[in-house]
Amino acid sequence: DHEVVRDIFTLHFPFLGSKCLELAFFRTYSIPSIAKLLHATGRTTATSDAFTRRYADTEIILREVLERDVTTNVRAKKAIKRLNEIHGKYQITNEDFIYVLSVFIIEPVRWISKYDHRALTQSEENSLYSYWRDIGHLMGMKEIPKTLKELEVWSINYEKAHMKWHPSNTLVANASLPILSSSMPCFMKSGVKIVALSMFDDELIKALYGEAWKDNSSYWRKIIGGLMHQLLRARGLFVHLLLFPRQEKDRLLRTLVREEEMSGCPFSGKARRLPFYHINVSYDLYKHGYDVNTIGAADS
């Protein structure tokens, strides 16, 4: 399951697999109990890089687990331990945990199947579910639905019961927008909000920004949403028909050699190698490496 999921995000669908998770985080912000907790940590200030750092830290930890086997690799096990340490400082319900977990499973299935060069196979969908279910168990989650279909039904019912507007939802969503705009062309950055929200359903928009914003923006969202849907479908068709299968996996984690810590010849095998995180240059926060044992939004 781990190898299949790793290939989904690093070999077969690296672009859309990453982008759909960036957008998927907004679904979690539509739940007041989750948004209020994020806002209470003080990391939703639009004038600082706190939220960007939180996102980068989260992506690092998840990449540590994704690109290595958590059952055998020491670094992956440390990443899970660090993840539990961060979340262990807060009162988070089991249901909220499971909902966030469901987003990491359901959204890639939905986005990739709808827009990429091919849909996920049934085997890939099952592996995606099994992989994240196992991560959930390692994080102490209980009563996770037993199949992907059951999880989808559970997630829909959870949203019906808990998805509603709260001021914290808006604050957290606004603080997240720079993450999306970092990979957009310059001419689209000023309109990142309307572009992003054009891809969301009405219930999600209402929970993030309220009924009035949903109604006032409906005209432009329909136009831009239609354009974005066509662009994504065109991209998927282009990849399917004109590009050769990807040969190299798209990895974010690298190894950096710090010259000041080398002893002797750089090629002698004595150079100290540190973990290196290669991320979008607009929020490249770890040019000199990081320590997986201490990284995390709770302490950054």
Side-chain angles (χ1 to χ4, degrees):
D1 290 335
H2 170 258
E3 291 183 359
V4 173
V5 174
R6 182 183 61 195
D7 286 350
I8 288 174
F9 288 103
T10 65
L11 183 63
H12 302 307
F13 314 100
F15 172 76
L16 200 56
S18 173
K19 295 307 172 187
C20 76
L21 288 180
E22 289 180 6
L23 291 170
F25 273 110
F26 283 80
R27 297 204 77 85
T28 67
Y29 307 151
S30 70
I31 308 300
S33 58
I34 296 174
K36 285 189 285 188
L37 176 61
L38 290 171
H39 179 53
T41 64
R43 300 186 178 279
T44 55
T45 305
T47 56
S48 72
D49 69 348
F51 206 85
T52 301
R53 181 176 292 276
R54 177 188 175 275
Y55 178 84
D57 290 345
T58 300
E59 189 174 6
I60 289 174
I61 293 175
L62 294 180
R63 281 283 183 164
E64 287 281 359
V65 176
L66 177 66
E67 297 188 10
R68 300 178 173 91
D69 189 347
V70 73
T71 61
T72 58
N73 186 272
V74 174
R75 288 190 60 82
K77 291 180 179 180
K78 288 181 178 179
I80 289 292
K81 180 182 178 182
R82 183 58 184 152
L83 199 60
N84 288 333
E85 288 173 350
I86 293 170
H87 291 98
K89 298 179 180 180
Y90 307 104
Q91 294 295 322
I92 306 174
T93 67
N94 188 63
E95 281 192 335
D96 284 353
F97 267 128
I98 294 177
Y99 178 68
V100 175
L101 188 77
S102 74
V103 166
F104 277 81
I105 301 170
I106 296 171
E107 291 303 295
V109 171
R110 184 171 69 88
W111 280 77
I112 290 172
S113 297
K114 187 174 183 178
Y115 292 119
D116 223 311
H117 61 280
R118 68 170 176 83
L120 292 172
T121 65
Q122 188 64 54
S123 176
E124 287 173 328
E125 290 185 7
N126 291 338
S127 293
L128 192 63
Y129 163 79
S130 298
Y131 170 79
W132 285 112
R133 179 204 59 200
D134 292 344
I135 297 297
H137 287 154
L138 291 172
M139 293 180 65
M141 299 181 202
K142 304 181 185 302
E143 300 180 355
I144 300 174
K146 297 181 180 179
T147 66
L148 177 57
K149 294 298 182 183
E150 289 182 12
L151 183 65
E152 290 174 342
V153 173
W154 183 96
S155 181
I156 291 172
N157 291 333
Y158 178 90
E159 289 184 348
K160 289 179 179 179
H162 299 282
M163 183 182 282
K164 58 184 178 182
W165 182 79
H166 186 276
S168 294
N169 300 12
T170 304
L171 292 171
V172 176
N174 284 339
S176 301
L177 292 176
I179 303 296
L180 300 179
S181 65
S182 65
S183 58
M184 286 185 172
C186 294
F187 70 90
M188 294 178 64
K189 287 183 181 293
S190 60
V192 59
K193 185 174 182 178
I194 192 68
V195 171
L197 269 60
S198 70
M199 307 299 293
F200 296 156
D201 56 82
D202 285 348
E203 290 304 311
L204 176 56
I205 293 171
K206 184 170 67 174
L208 291 173
Y209 290 100
E211 186 75 40
W213 202 95
K214 177 181 77 68
D215 294 338
N216 294 337
S217 65
S218 60
Y219 175 75
W220 286 107
R221 282 194 296 109
K222 288 180 180 179
I223 294 177
I224 297 175
L227 177 62
M228 293 301 297
H229 286 297
Q230 293 304 317
L231 286 174
L232 287 172
R233 289 195 177 101
R235 176 198 168 274
L237 188 63
F238 175 81
V239 173
H240 176 69
L241 295 177
L242 299 177
L243 296 187
F244 291 107
R246 181 183 290 266
Q247 299 298 315
E248 295 185 3
K249 296 180 180 180
D250 180 30
R251 297 184 180 275
L252 288 184
L253 303 180
R254 300 289 189 269
T255 299
L256 173 70
V257 179
R258 294 214 306 219
E259 295 182 1
E260 66 271 19
E261 293 185 0
M262 289 183 180
S263 58
C265 175
F267 303 102
S268 66
K270 296 181 179 180
R272 181 182 176 186
R273 294 187 175 273
L274 300 176
F276 179 66
Y277 183 54
H278 180 71
I279 195 170
N280 187 298
V281 293
S282 62
Y283 52 100
D284 188 358
L285 304 173
Y286 295 102
K287 296 178 180 179
H288 304 296
Y290 62 87
D291 183 353
V292 73
N293 296 299
T294 58
I295 198 170
D299 300 323
S300 298

